[in-house]
Amino acid sequence: MVAREFRLREEYDVRRVRNNGRAVASGPLVARVLANELDPPRNRYAVIAGKRCGKAVQRNRLKRLTREAIRHLHPRLTPGYDLVLICRGTVEEMPGLAEAEGALERIVRRAGLLNPAPVPAPPTDGET
């Protein structure tokens, strides 16, 4: 679950991002991305699933999968943005965490928010 301090909780914040944010889509997910003015900079997230995604059980599953995917990806993202993630597919299109993580990674890569993974330094045996 995404920690409370990283959630977009106010409706006006969600509306602001949905109306003014840049849209990036991949498969069953659409993201609206907008820079925020927080100090210190941090990302905030909201997940939305409409009735086209299915009944309440399916919508909640899609939201849980998306939140878990963002929780895993959060440390690698550039801070200072609000993201509203909109589920537009069904459970058949995103049946598991792997699909959610893949779609979300493609979205943040296209949006330019993904920091490169740190490359581990090669081991040294004392020889140069």
Side-chain angles (χ1 to χ4, degrees), residues 95-114:
L97 185 58
E99 291 83 4
E101 286 178 337
L104 196 54
E105 187 164 341
R106 285 189 298 274
I107 286 172
V108 296
R109 195 176 302 276
R110 284 185 196 151
L113 301 179
L114 191 62

Side-chain angles (χ1 to χ4, degrees), residues 15-24 31-35 82:
R15 284 183 192 261
R16 179 180 54 84
V17 176
R18 286 189 80 177
N19 291 336
N20 302 326
R22 185 169 54 110
V24 183
R32 291 286 188 157
V33 182
L34 187 66
D82 290 338

Side-chain angles (χ1 to χ4, degrees), residues 59-126:
R59 292 195 306 267
N60 289 335
R61 177 168 175 75
L62 289 171
K63 291 193 287 186
R64 281 194 312 270
L65 287 170
T66 306
R67 285 188 193 112
E68 186 64 15
I70 200 68
R71 186 178 72 86
H72 288 197
L73 204 55
H74 173 74
R76 294 177 43 203
L77 298 180
T78 305
Y81 292 91
D82 290 338
L83 279 82
V84 173
L85 302 163
I86 304 163
C87 301
R88 65 176 179 186
T90 61
V91 175
E92 289 80 27
E93 293 178 61
M94 193 166 58
L97 185 58
E99 291 83 4
E101 286 178 337
L104 196 54
E105 187 164 341
R106 285 189 298 274
I107 286 172
V108 296
R109 195 176 302 276
R110 284 185 196 151
L113 301 179
L114 191 62
N115 291 331
V119 178
T124 57
D125 356 339

